[in-house]
Amino acid sequence: MDTEIGLFTARKQEILDAAKKLYSRKGYAASSMRDLAKSLGIKPASLYSHYQSKEEMLWEIAIRCTKEFHGYILPMVQEDRPVIDRLDRMLRGHLRMVIKNQDASAIFFHEWQHLEEPRRSAFAKQREIYEQAFIDVLNEGKQKGVFRDVHIRFSMFTLLSAINWVYRWYKPDGKMSIEEIEEEFSKLLIRGLKV
Amino acid sequence: MDTEIGLFTARKQEILDAAKKLYSRKGYAASSMRDLAKSLGIKPASLYSHYQSKEEMLWEIAIRCTKEFHGYILPMVQEDRPVIDRLDRMLRGHLRMVIKNQDASAIFFHEWQHLEEPRRSAFAKQREIYEQAFIDVLNEGKQKGVFRDVHIRFSMFTLLSAINWVYRWYKPDGKMSIEEIEEEFSKLLIRGLKV
DNA sequence: GTCTATACTTTGATAGAC
DNA sequence: GTCTATCAAAGTATAGAC
């Protein structure tokens, strides 16, 4: 019997992890099935016993990453806390997700654009749901007078993109710990919203 | 005689503009010389009368973009103004460059990674010079007590990346004017640095 | 689950005529 | 400066043996 992780066999997961790393480092379009097979020590044809196509792997990576981000962040919108604390927690959460899924983040932010329809649109839809969560909290804060009269959509993009770039420069052995990065983001980004 | 623009003939420039647009929309790796030729209404082989290779075009786009960003921003570091105003002007300038070179920005921020050595390193070097300008001003502000005790390198990345994302969502006919975007960035990002 | 062998497509690039 | 014709390499994917 297969050793399952979620709906996947362990082998499928190994392959997906290798693909994640490769797509993240070289970009999806520049990554070949030959490259991927080589990194796993198998022949290209063997990959097709696990996935039907190159794009299916991209899709699996993207959609799994989406589920992880959503599962962690979306419930925070309705927590019983002051709106400013909720936004703070959501931004810290987003940062944690980016760092935890550093390779997948490149796919989550960029490479998903190489998906073909209808998957591309399906992903875009999920992405909007995620962004909407931040928009909702920003709107609430604005209406309650906690935040100044900011452009909501603009602020959402700015806050998230400041954090998104972390996947490009974060190194686990770098000078800043995750806690320090969180704290700095919180100070740097939340302050600019306050009345 | 050739109609020159800088060191380029007009035709070379036309081709480069088309490449810029294509690489920006589809990504460099996913863009073929056939695609490019088609968008110009010529045959693929004709491109090689103007450029030696696909990578040479990527290089030209990247390095021209670098020159434009540098020429606009670097002199601001030493202007005779309070340090906070200089940073503010540099961030606004960076924003203007991103919007003015929206297609090239995708290459400036991402696609340059597809350059091969030694061009890749040469570009990376220029990029560091650009980042250093912001680091210098942040350091000065910190030493003068205008900015709080921020992590310099972290702040530089955060400020620039918040703005960099603009190339992904900015539309000339969108809801916010460039002036409004500038103003919002200034409020949102500079406030978080102050003591 | 991986292999060999291979089909078919697309790619970057060159040679040489006009 | 653009064309036709063409090449070698690399791409995704399939069939079928083990």
Side-chain angles (χ1 to χ4, degrees):
Chain A
M1 186 183 161
D2 283 333
T3 307
E4 294 205 351
I5 296 177
L7 295 165
F8 272 24
T9 61
R11 192 56 177 145
K12 271 191 103 164
Q13 188 61 52
E14 278 171 24
I15 293 171
L16 207 66
D17 285 341
K20 204 189 294 179
K21 193 183 277 185
L22 187 65
Y23 296 172
S24 156
R25 286 179 187 17
K26 299 190 54 170
Y28 174 76
S31 300
S32 71
M33 295 296 267
R34 283 176 167 84
D35 285 341
L36 178 57
K38 204 169 194 177
S39 79
L40 286 157
I42 59 176
K43 299 294 166 186
S46 306
L47 294 168
Y48 293 89
S49 300
H50 304 277
Y51 295 95
Q52 287 184 0
S53 67
K54 186 185 168 190
E55 197 214 0
E56 194 185 65
M57 292 190 219
L58 182 65
W59 169 251
E60 283 295 340
I61 296 165
I63 210 65
R64 279 161 170 257
C65 193
T66 297
K67 279 180 187 159
E68 184 150 358
F69 274 65
H70 284 218
Y72 197 67
I73 302 297
L74 298 192
M76 291 182 178
V77 177
Q78 299 157 33
E79 282 177 358
D80 186 26
R81 299 170 193 275
V83 64
I84 200 162
D85 289 353
R86 264 179 287 148
L87 179 62
D88 194 56
R89 275 171 57 80
M90 285 166 74
L91 292 177
R92 287 170 190 258
H94 183 69
L95 170 67
R96 297 238 166 191
M97 286 297 99
V98 171
I99 288 178
K100 186 181 170 199
N101 303 283
Q102 203 167 354
D103 282 328
S105 288
I107 286 91
F108 193 62
F109 300 141
H110 295 286
E111 304 303 324
W112 68 268
Q113 298 184 82
H114 293 284
L115 287 168
E116 282 157 37
E117 296 296 353
R119 284 171 168 164
R120 195 185 141 104
S121 293
F123 181 89
K125 215 167 188 171
Q126 289 302 308
R127 186 188 147 93
E128 273 173 43
I129 291 171
Y130 191 72
E131 291 171 355
Q132 190 60 44
F134 288 86
I135 288 177
D136 288 345
V137 175
L138 283 166
N139 256 323
E140 191 187 328
K142 186 173 161 180
Q143 278 160 17
K144 287 186 173 162
V146 179
F147 300 143
R148 58 186 176 79
D149 184 27
V150 290
H151 285 77
I152 297 294
R153 211 174 155 69
F154 167 87
S155 299
M156 179 275 292
F157 275 127
T158 304
L159 295 172
L160 290 186
S161 31
I163 295 173
N164 289 353
W165 219 263
V166 167
Y167 87 90
R168 297 265 302 251
W169 59 260
Y170 177 75
K171 299 257 162 35
D173 55 343
K175 283 180 186 169
M176 294 178 80
S177 69
I178 298 183
E179 289 75 19
E180 279 175 307
I181 297 176
E182 257 192 27
E183 201 56 37
E184 279 295 296
F185 267 131
S186 181
K187 282 186 197 160
L188 206 54
L189 299 176
I190 300 278
R191 271 219 232 176
L193 287 171
K194 286 187 185 163
V195 176
Chain B
M1 185 182 161
D2 282 335
T3 307
E4 293 205 350
I5 295 177
L7 295 166
F8 272 24
T9 63
R11 191 62 177 139
K12 273 191 100 163
Q13 189 60 53
E14 278 171 24
I15 293 171
L16 207 66
D17 286 341
K20 204 189 295 179
K21 193 183 277 183
L22 186 65
Y23 295 171
S24 156
R25 287 183 189 9
K26 297 190 55 169
Y28 174 76
S31 302
S32 71
M33 294 298 265
R34 284 173 171 79
D35 285 340
L36 179 57
K38 204 169 192 177
S39 79
L40 286 156
I42 59 177
K43 298 294 166 186
S46 307
L47 293 168
Y48 292 89
S49 299
H50 303 278
Y51 295 94
Q52 288 184 0
S53 68
K54 185 185 170 190
E55 195 214 2
E56 195 186 64
M57 293 189 219
L58 181 64
W59 169 250
E60 283 295 341
I61 295 165
I63 210 64
R64 279 162 170 258
C65 192
T66 297
K67 279 179 187 161
E68 185 151 356
F69 273 65
H70 284 219
Y72 196 68
I73 302 297
L74 297 193
M76 291 181 178
V77 178
Q78 298 158 34
E79 282 178 358
D80 186 26
R81 301 171 192 273
V83 65
I84 200 164
D85 290 355
R86 263 178 289 149
L87 180 63
D88 194 57
R89 274 171 58 79
M90 285 167 72
L91 292 177
R92 286 169 189 258
H94 183 70
L95 171 67
R96 297 235 166 193
M97 288 294 101
V98 171
I99 289 178
K100 186 181 168 200
N101 303 283
Q102 203 168 354
D103 281 330
S105 287
I107 285 90
F108 193 61
F109 299 141
H110 295 286
E111 303 302 323
W112 69 269
Q113 297 183 85
H114 293 285
L115 287 168
E116 282 158 36
E117 297 296 352
R119 283 171 168 164
R120 195 184 142 105
S121 293
F123 181 90
K125 216 167 185 171
Q126 290 301 308
R127 188 188 147 93
E128 273 174 42
I129 291 172
Y130 191 73
E131 293 172 353
Q132 190 60 46
F134 288 86
I135 289 178
D136 287 346
V137 175
L138 284 166
N139 256 322
E140 191 186 326
K142 185 174 163 182
Q143 278 160 17
K144 286 186 173 162
V146 179
F147 301 143
R148 60 187 176 79
D149 185 27
V150 291
H151 284 77
I152 297 294
R153 210 174 156 70
F154 167 87
S155 300
M156 179 274 294
F157 276 127
T158 304
L159 296 172
L160 291 186
S161 33
I163 296 174
N164 290 354
W165 219 264
V166 168
Y167 88 90
R168 298 262 305 248
W169 59 261
Y170 177 75
K171 299 254 162 38
D173 54 343
K175 283 181 187 168
M176 293 178 81
S177 68
I178 299 183
E179 289 75 19
E180 279 176 306
I181 297 176
E182 259 192 29
E183 202 56 36
E184 278 295 295
F185 266 131
S186 182
K187 282 187 198 158
L188 205 53
L189 299 176
I190 300 279
R191 272 218 232 176
L193 287 170
K194 285 188 187 163
V195 175

